[in-house]
Amino acid sequence: MYARPQGAIQRTYELPAAATVGDALRAARADPAFVGIDLEGSPVGVFGAPAHREQPLRPGDRVEIYRPLALDPKAARRARVQQARARTPRPAGPSRSGRS
């Protein structure tokens, strides 16, 4: 499984009983649908949990190939907070510190 903005690529492969995540990636490498995807350097997972290439697979496991993030989630959150602060005017008036 590889998710792209324009749609996901999902394939099912028949692999031997002792297959690993790496074996599934080798099968995907031979599939024209995965041309141009960095199967060697991309992080991978099984059902949303990070996995290493030597990890054994069980029948029905979904191997996921992760693409790089377009923007770091922390940086995106900081930008949203700054944007919200810029739109919201701060109230004028006495300080709320309790001092007069």
Side-chain angles (χ1 to χ4, degrees):
M1 164 77 69
Y2 182 78
R4 298 182 299 188
Q6 60 269 45
I9 302 170
Q10 184 173 351
R11 296 289 189 270
T12 302
Y13 301 112
E14 292 288 328
L15 300 171
T20 63
V21 170
D23 294 328
L25 294 173
R26 281 186 282 285
R29 190 178 314 124
D31 189 326
F34 289 94
V35 168
I37 297 171
D38 181 13
L39 298 174
E40 296 298 320
S42 295
V44 294
V46 175
F47 288 119
H52 52 85
R53 282 156 169 73
E54 297 81 28
Q55 179 173 323
L57 292 174
R58 288 177 273 169
D61 275 355
R62 181 183 66 222
V63 176
E64 302 162 340
I65 305 157
Y66 303 124
R67 59 189 168 94
L69 295 174
L71 184 62
D72 174 54
K74 289 181 183 179
R77 183 179 184 285
R78 277 192 290 273
R80 285 192 307 272
V81 167
Q82 287 176 348
Q83 224 175 17
R85 286 181 180 163
R87 286 191 306 254
T88 308
R90 295 189 184 252
S95 167
R96 295 183 186 212
S97 67
R99 294 185 224 170
S100 299

